[in-house]
């Protein structure tokens, strides 16, 4: 292999950095540069360490935690009845909660499920409750694995 600095042929040429330029240097020209093999190993270790310290995986979070309520199934009829009981038009109710009349109409018709935020506004303005507690299904059964729920167990709990 030929030294890129002096041009001499040498079988012991190594990769080196000379003033920011990577070159293959013979042992006699190595005094003008820094060997990259040693620097690369040190740099790689530093980079890996810095990356590992920056990577902080968030703790796994249960997305269903705190979800103990769900919207009632007949929310549209409930909202319509409460609105009429209070003597409000769709326009008035929409104005009171900051929503468009068409949105109120779609919610009452069951075409649009209200967001949790909107449902809370409707609950407060109409003095109704649109959420119900979730039913807990027991998973303790006589299945093959302790705590497993079989299809038969599910059918039995639904029939009760």
């Amino acid at each position: 292999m030929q030294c890129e600095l002096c041009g001499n042929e040498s079988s012991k040429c190594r990769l080196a950095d000379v003033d920011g330029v990577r070159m293959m240097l013979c042992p006699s020209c190595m005094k003008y540069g820094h060997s990259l093999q040693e620097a690369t190993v040190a740099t790689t270790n530093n980079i890996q360490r810095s990356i590992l310290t920056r990577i902080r995986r968030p703790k796994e979070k249960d997305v269903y935690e705190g979800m103990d309520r769900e919207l009632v199934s007949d929310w549209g009829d409930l909202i319509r009845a409460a609105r009429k009981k209070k003597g409000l038009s769709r326009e008035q109710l929409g104005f009171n909660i900051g929503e468009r009349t068409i949105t109120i109409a779609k919610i009452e018709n069951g075409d649009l499920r209200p967001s949790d935020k909107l449902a809370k506004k409707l609950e407060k303005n109409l003095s109704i409750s649109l959420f119900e507690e979730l039913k807990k299904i027991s998973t303790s059964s006589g299945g093959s694995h302790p705590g497993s729920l079989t299809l038969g167990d599910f059918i039995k709990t639904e029939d009760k």
Side-chain angles (χ1 to χ4, degrees), residues 67-70 73 132-138 154 157-158 160:
M67 294 178 102
D68 52 352
R69 303 182 322 152
E70 69 179 348
S73 58
E132 64 184 358
E133 297 295 318
L134 286 175
K135 298 173 187 171
K136 302 285 184 191
I137 298 177
S138 173
F154 181 71
T157 56
E158 290 298 311
K160 291 181 182 176

Side-chain angles (χ1 to χ4, degrees), residues 31-95:
K31 61 184 174 192
Y32 300 113
H34 301 285
S35 176
L36 282 183
Q37 293 167 343
E38 298 153 6
T40 304
V41 170
T43 306
T44 304
N45 288 340
N46 290 340
I47 290 171
Q48 287 175 349
R49 249 186 277 125
S50 66
I51 289 174
L52 289 175
T53 57
R54 279 189 252 158
I55 296 176
R56 304 220 173 157
R57 303 229 184 254
K59 294 180 182 177
E60 289 195 22
K61 181 177 146 185
D62 184 9
V63 294
Y64 298 109
E65 185 180 329
M67 294 178 102
D68 52 352
R69 303 182 322 152
E70 69 179 348
L71 195 63
V72 294
S73 58
D74 60 341
W75 76 81
D77 297 331
L78 188 60
I79 292 169
R80 180 183 294 115
R83 176 182 58 78
K84 287 183 178 181
K85 185 177 177 182
K86 284 215 166 194
L88 297 172
S89 67
R90 287 179 175 168
E91 293 83 12
Q92 290 170 327
L93 177 61
F95 179 77

